[in-house]
Amino acid sequence: MKKKRMLHNLLTNHLIPGFYKLDDFSDGQVIAAENSNSKIRINIYFTPEKIATANCVPILTGDHFARNGIIHTVEKVLPIPTRTVADIIAGDVQFSVLKRMLSRAGLVQALRNPNKTFTIFAPTDSAFSYPYLERETNTNERCTVSVMKHHIIDHTICSSAIPQFAKSLNMIGELLSLSRDEYNKLYVDDVQIVVRDLVATNGVVHIIDGVLSTRQAKSASEVLEEYGLNEFLSLLEAANLKKLYDSFENVTFFIPSNEAIRALPAGLIESLMSNINSLFSVLLYHVADGTAQIKLPEQIFNSKLQNTSIKVQVHSSVISSCCSSSISSVCSSFESWK
């Protein structure tokens, strides 16, 4: 009797009341199955060919008319989602780090929202390296939010919809690269998707074997290296300030460009290098408390060098002939001036 009931539930999970041709389906449409305890989510993708899925299972052929309805064939048995994406992560012991970070970022309740859909690229505990765990423990909440949102897309992307190469915006507005290689392996930003399509009531979870790196969560020294600010980075290393710069939270860095440092009077750099205390003070002076964009004609920032401040003045004549770039990292902001 129990097996018959299970078979009955399985079959009715594949049956929806009503007459739906393929063209009647729309992306994101949720239809209650004949089994009232389950629903079927339809997703439609153009990659560029049209792909339709039911609970992330590709619909292979459709519109086979019968006397009492219409039949669509699917690639495999449809999964029956019973949990939200947040509950899938919360209920799996291999996601203890991810669960803790999502909670710290205040995203758990949002990921339980039944009226929205999400795709989560979920690193397992083994995917988090020890240095990353150390950074996660010491980082501030804004950074944790950025790291977590970097792993989330606010719509459903089933694995069958990933072509050889595509991009999709995540929740912090950065593009994630999605790709499929010749061996049918899937990747997000070169990190492999090792388990696909854990279907939830409000989206899908893909398990990945690494942590996706976002520029907003990189250390100060990593961003300096990424943008080629090697002259300033060399001074940090000489003054043994690299770790201190990386440990700052909620600060604004004013970083001279390579050209600005090379243009200093002859012998000044050598003099500073021979007097580490002076070099330490100069470098510390370039860090201001707080993260703020420069919007007013004149702003004053308190410097990390005790009893000093940084006055920033913006002149229209300078704006047209000089350029600055603002870089966000470690939940801090950088201003690089030429």
Side-chain angles (χ1 to χ4, degrees):
M1 182 65 69
K2 184 178 180 180
K3 289 184 178 179
K4 285 186 177 180
R5 186 165 59 251
M6 290 176 62
L7 180 59
H8 177 271
N9 289 339
L10 176 66
L11 294 175
T12 53
N13 284 331
H14 289 70
L15 178 65
I16 55 177
F19 190 87
Y20 290 89
K21 294 184 293 184
L22 284 181
D23 287 343
D24 295 330
F25 292 133
S26 59
D27 184 47
Q29 183 178 9
V30 178
I31 308 170
E34 182 70 24
N35 182 342
S36 59
N37 294 323
S38 64
K39 296 180 179 180
I40 297 175
R41 182 182 301 278
I42 302 296
N43 287 104
I44 298 173
Y45 309 93
F46 295 90
T47 65
E49 68 275 10
K50 182 179 179 180
I51 296 175
T53 64
N55 287 351
C56 278
V57 175
I59 299 174
L60 301 179
T61 64
D63 296 347
H64 303 295
F65 296 96
R67 185 181 61 188
N68 59 337
I70 189 169
I71 298 170
H72 309 298
T73 62
V74 292
E75 188 176 76
K76 60 183 180 181
V77 174
L78 300 185
I80 306 170
T82 58
R83 299 177 295 171
T84 66
V85 289
D87 293 329
I88 287 176
I89 291 167
D92 196 325
V93 294
Q94 66 179 327
F95 295 131
S96 62
V97 177
L98 180 61
K99 176 184 174 182
R100 183 170 71 248
M101 293 184 71
L102 285 172
S103 177
R104 185 174 182 179
L107 293 172
V108 175
Q109 285 306 115
L111 295 175
R112 288 197 172 111
N113 189 334
N115 299 316
K116 293 188 176 182
T117 61
F118 306 94
T119 298
I120 299 183
F121 298 101
T124 61
D125 291 350
S126 60
F128 287 87
S129 64
Y130 286 108
Y132 197 96
L133 282 172
E134 182 179 356
R135 186 186 304 172
E136 180 255 320
T137 302
N138 296 324
T139 193
N140 59 48
E141 184 177 311
R142 288 178 59 194
C143 295
T144 305
V145 171
S146 293
V147 172
M148 289 296 93
K149 286 187 174 182
H150 189 64
H151 289 74
I152 304 171
I153 294 173
D154 60 0
H155 55 272
T156 303
I157 297 182
C158 302
S159 65
S160 59
I162 298 177
Q164 283 188 319
F165 184 77
K167 290 189 175 184
S168 186
L169 282 173
N170 61 19
M171 289 184 71
I172 58 173
E174 291 186 5
L175 284 170
L176 294 179
S177 298
L178 304 169
S179 60
R180 183 187 301 267
D181 70 11
E182 57 186 309
Y183 304 105
N184 203 35
K185 293 180 180 179
L186 300 180
Y187 299 87
V188 51
D189 278 0
D190 297 323
V191 175
Q192 187 174 351
I193 298 173
V194 292
V195 178
R196 312 173 186 181
D197 298 331
L198 300 179
V199 180
T201 55
N202 64 343
V204 64
V205 176
H206 303 296
I207 301 178
I208 57 178
D209 66 358
V211 178
L212 304 180
S213 176
T214 169
R215 178 162 53 83
Q216 293 187 23
K218 289 183 178 179
S219 67
S221 59
E222 286 172 334
V223 173
L224 292 177
E225 185 174 352
E226 179 182 347
Y227 281 84
L229 295 167
N230 300 319
E231 298 287 346
F232 194 84
L233 191 57
S234 297
L235 296 177
L236 285 181
E237 292 170 345
N240 200 26
L241 264 179
K242 191 174 176 181
K243 285 187 177 180
L244 181 61
Y245 258 55
D246 288 344
S247 70
F248 285 135
E249 294 182 3
N250 296 316
V251 296
T252 297
F253 298 88
F254 292 90
I255 307 298
S257 66
N258 292 332
E259 293 80 3
I261 293 177
R262 295 187 193 117
L264 290 172
L268 179 57
I269 293 296
E270 290 76 8
S271 175
L272 288 173
M273 295 286 269
S274 64
N275 188 336
I276 295 301
N277 288 335
S278 296
L279 178 59
F280 186 95
S281 297
V282 169
L283 296 176
L284 207 58
Y285 179 69
H286 285 74
V287 185
D289 289 322
T291 56
Q293 293 182 340
I294 299 171
K295 298 178 180 179
L296 302 176
E298 181 173 300
Q299 287 179 252
I300 296 178
F301 298 85
N302 291 323
S303 170
K304 283 292 184 182
L305 183 62
Q306 192 172 6
N307 298 324
T308 64
S309 60
I310 301 171
K311 180 185 288 186
V312 177
Q313 294 174 306
V314 179
H315 304 279
S316 59
S317 60
V318 175
I319 291 175
S320 61
S321 60
C322 174
C323 60
S324 70
S325 60
S326 179
I327 308 166
S328 295
S329 172
V330 203
C331 299
S332 308
S333 61
F334 283 68
E335 298 292 337
S336 179
W337 294 88
K338 293 183 179 179

